[in-house]
Amino acid sequence: MKKSRAGRSHKQARVDLEEIWPSERDFMERPARIKYVRKLIKPKGCVFCEVEKKRPSKSSLLLYKNEISMVVLNKYPYNNGHLLVLPRAHIASLLDLEAAAYTNLSEVLKASLAIVQDAYGFKGCNIGLNQGATAGAGIPDHLHWHIIPRWLGDTNFFPLIAETKVIAEGLDQTYERLRPYFKKIKV
Ligand SMILES: [Zn+2]
């Protein structure tokens, strides 16, 4: 008797999980993301190292670069204005960054935050670095900070994980909005 109850509740728990997770994710509406996550389309080499060679443009999504650092729009944004700030060099660990590079990146990070705040007037912002695939980095071999503007009413962190956030602004619009600011910065 006890055994069968336990069996039922275990089965019930599993059913709940199966019903929750697929329905909360957004895979069906974002096929490009599926392909990326499942690696059906594999970028050749490191995508950031490819971007690093480009000039700032809508097609490269590169907003800014100096000798050491660069700023790129996230191709798969979690919210409008989602930026990536990263070293131009292919470095996987923060511990391998030299002091001068770290300082430069910090300054670019700060300048980028000021720009996004000015351009979007957000109420808050997630700034973070996922180091390593285990920590959730999509491109673990090339260090990158995320700047994710947040607004009251864009709910909690759950959409960041479940990828259900509706993006109101296209990448083109985001680029057009932000590029003029980045043209002016000197770090
Ligand atoms: Zn790289």
Side-chain angles (χ1 to χ4, degrees):
M1 193 69 172
K2 269 181 188 172
K3 226 177 190 176
S4 112
R5 260 212 310 275
R8 236 189 346 262
S9 81
H10 179 69
K11 191 180 173 189
Q12 185 62 45
R14 192 185 296 163
V15 168
D16 283 348
L17 270 182
E18 284 172 4
E19 283 171 358
I20 289 166
W21 286 102
S23 69
E24 297 289 349
R25 295 174 82 88
D26 195 21
F27 282 177
M28 296 311 289
E29 290 178 24
R30 295 174 67 185
R33 177 79 179 176
I34 296 180
K35 286 172 189 167
Y36 196 74
V37 167
R38 292 180 181 171
K39 297 188 191 304
L40 296 180
I41 295 174
K42 279 194 176 177
K44 290 171 195 163
C46 173
V47 68
F48 292 145
C49 286
E50 290 303 314
V51 171
E52 186 270 331
K53 298 172 198 158
K54 308 282 183 191
R55 308 181 75 165
S57 75
K58 272 189 208 174
S59 58
S60 67
L61 299 180
L62 181 64
L63 280 164
Y64 171 82
K65 68 178 171 183
N66 63 26
E67 292 276 298
I68 292 158
S69 312
M70 60 182 180
V71 182
V72 184
L73 278 187
N74 190 338
K75 191 180 176 189
Y76 302 104
Y78 292 129
N79 223 342
N80 296 328
H82 183 167
L83 300 184
L84 304 174
V85 177
L86 56 162
R88 290 177 66 175
H90 189 78
I91 293 171
S93 170
L94 196 56
L95 298 176
D96 294 332
L97 265 186
E98 288 177 3
Y102 183 72
T103 302
N104 187 274
L105 272 160
S106 301
E107 286 172 5
V108 172
L109 190 68
K110 205 169 150 187
S112 302
L113 179 61
I115 285 172
V116 179
Q117 183 152 30
D118 201 11
Y120 288 93
F122 55 71
K123 296 291 181 189
C125 193
N126 293 110
I127 302 161
L129 169 70
N130 302 328
Q131 184 168 299
T134 317
I139 301 174
D141 295 338
H142 197 140
L143 208 57
H144 54 283
W145 278 262
H146 293 261
I147 296 181
I148 308 173
R150 304 298 304 275
W151 286 269
L152 284 174
D154 76 355
T155 69
N156 50 35
F157 70 93
F158 195 74
L160 299 185
I161 294 169
E163 300 162 20
T164 54
K165 185 78 190 88
V166 174
I167 306 297
E169 191 176 68
L171 285 176
D172 273 14
Q173 289 170 287
T174 306
Y175 194 91
E176 280 168 16
R177 188 196 288 262
L178 295 176
R179 175 64 182 147
Y181 290 91
F182 279 98
K183 274 183 179 167
K184 289 179 201 156
I185 70 165
K186 291 259 184 286
V187 177

